[in-house]
Amino acid sequence: MTPRIWKVLALALALLAAALFGALITTHRSVVGQMGPAAGPTTRTSAPDTFAPVIERVAPAVVSIYAEGAPSPPILVVPDLPFFQPEFIPPTRRMSSGSGFFISADGYVLTNHHVVEGAERVEVVLHNERRLKARLIGSDPATDLAVLKVSGGRFSYVDLQRAGAPKVGDWVIAIGNPFGLGATATAGIVSAYGRDLGSAFVDYVQIDAPINRGNSGGPSFDTQGRLVGVNTAILSPSGGNVGIGFAIPAETARSVSGRLIARRPIERGYMGAALQDISADAAGALGLPEARGALVASVTPGGPAAVAGLKPGDAILKVDGRDAENAEAVTRAVTRKRPGDTI
């Protein structure tokens, strides 16, 4: 072939390759375009442009709490060396700070039990820096919740009947009094539900909105301004925020605070049986496909479990039709019931 013919063939091949490449790109784009709507309606997953509107709406209901406890007893220090005189270390008053939020217009404030435990004097600082004395209405150490009451007007409050239920991965906003700084807002996402921190009465919400010392008792909200939970604990080797925080769910806060305000006892279900987790060996012996559920270790004579016919060695795999992962899950399910309920 002549050089001219080679040039013509090369140009033709180049044009053909470009056309094929363009067709491949067009086909790929077409497939991607068809796949999107097939997954269902899309929702906004990016960060909001601003959290300012929701923070402006809910922040006036959030307060800082300062509690002063009884003085510690004087300490007598006796040195080892005989020529030193014994020394008394004078008593000091215990001080703590935390957060809380109004749950009614007439001045009821929800916070953590551990924020006000043992306090003789409690002061609430409002969003506008106004300071009010508070009295303790009641507390429930089992769920770490307490209710205070202040007087002096009508207050912005959080409606516990409008609880939020964001999905894992949705945004959450925490407001509180970290390190005594006063009203501070942080944002993150809901990381998980149903976290077990060793409590038989609370399934915690895990959030990664930064919370620190002093945030205890403060609220966390969804982007609609609905309560998600009461910030209570952090997981941290250093005592500071590492991105893992835990909140008492809004439903638990609503139920417990309502009883505390009404001065009604906090009643919880009781089954009268000692439970333990089912080990792999126990699962094999019982013919279970996996190590899941609770093993009845003992039964209280005359108790609800005994009357229902449970015996040592029985395995509990479901409670009210729901899978029970371990003994703690069974206990929490029972304690959420009221005495007299059938489960």
Side-chain angles (χ1 to χ4, degrees):
M1 295 185 186
T2 66
R4 180 179 177 82
I5 294 176
W6 276 112
K7 289 181 179 178
V8 171
L9 286 175
L11 178 61
L13 288 172
L15 291 173
L16 178 61
L20 289 172
F21 183 67
L24 286 172
I25 292 178
T26 302
T27 302
H28 176 67
R29 286 176 177 167
S30 175
V31 170
V32 171
Q34 292 168 6
M35 287 176 63
T42 58
T43 57
R44 179 175 179 174
T45 57
S46 60
D49 294 333
T50 176
F51 293 109
V54 64
I55 292 174
E56 288 173 359
R57 190 164 70 251
V58 300
V62 183
V63 301
S64 300
I65 296 176
Y66 296 92
E68 184 177 349
S72 58
I75 301 174
L76 174 63
V77 178
V78 181
D80 292 334
L81 298 177
F83 50 84
F84 280 106
Q85 295 296 318
E87 176 186 4
F88 279 95
I89 297 179
T92 57
R93 297 193 67 83
R94 291 175 294 172
M95 303 292 293
S96 65
S97 64
S99 307
F101 55 100
F102 285 108
I103 54 174
S104 72
D106 57 348
Y108 285 100
V109 175
L110 186 61
T111 186
N112 279 144
H113 164 78
H114 76 259
V115 171
V116 296
E117 182 180 10
E120 291 184 337
R121 183 175 182 274
V122 179
E123 187 177 53
V124 167
V125 182
L126 278 57
H127 185 67
N128 60 5
E129 302 298 330
R130 183 183 176 194
R131 293 176 174 267
L132 298 172
K133 291 182 179 180
R135 58 188 176 91
L136 179 65
I137 297 299
S139 65
D140 179 35
T143 55
D144 197 18
L145 290 170
V147 173
L148 307 172
K149 180 71 166 66
V150 300
S151 302
R154 306 292 286 179
F155 305 95
S156 298
Y157 67 98
V158 175
D159 185 357
L160 296 185
Q161 304 301 322
R162 282 188 71 242
K167 297 179 181 179
V168 172
D170 282 348
W171 287 97
V172 64
I173 303 160
I175 304 180
N177 177 32
F179 303 114
L181 291 173
T184 300
T186 56
I189 63 168
V190 174
S191 301
Y193 281 97
R195 289 301 196 204
D196 179 9
L197 299 186
S199 170
F201 310 107
V202 180
D203 285 323
Y204 290 90
V205 183
Q206 181 182 332
I207 64 176
D208 79 344
I211 58 177
N212 289 282
R213 296 181 184 275
N215 274 109
S216 290
S220 51
F221 299 99
D222 66 9
T223 53
Q224 304 300 312
R226 297 172 298 193
L227 182 71
V228 174
V230 180
N231 304 322
T232 297
I234 60 174
L235 181 64
S236 171
S238 62
N241 171 64
V242 295
I244 302 178
F246 302 96
I248 300 167
E251 174 57 28
T252 302
R254 183 196 63 78
S255 174
V256 172
S257 63
R259 287 188 165 272
L260 291 175
I261 292 173
R263 306 297 179 100
R264 296 200 306 267
I266 307 295
E267 296 179 329
R268 297 184 174 93
Y270 160 77
M271 67 182 296
L275 307 176
Q276 61 187 48
D277 293 343
I278 294 179
S279 64
D281 291 340
L286 293 168
L288 300 176
E290 56 182 334
R292 184 184 60 79
L295 184 68
V296 178
S298 64
V299 175
T300 303
V307 172
L310 283 180
K311 296 180 174 61
D314 285 346
I316 301 175
L317 304 180
K318 292 177 181 287
V319 180
D320 274 346
R322 296 184 178 181
D323 289 342
E325 292 300 319
N326 52 34
E328 197 71 38
V330 174
T331 301
R332 285 199 298 270
V334 171
T335 59
R336 282 195 289 264
K337 296 291 184 176
R338 294 184 178 180
D341 286 349
T342 299
I343 190 169

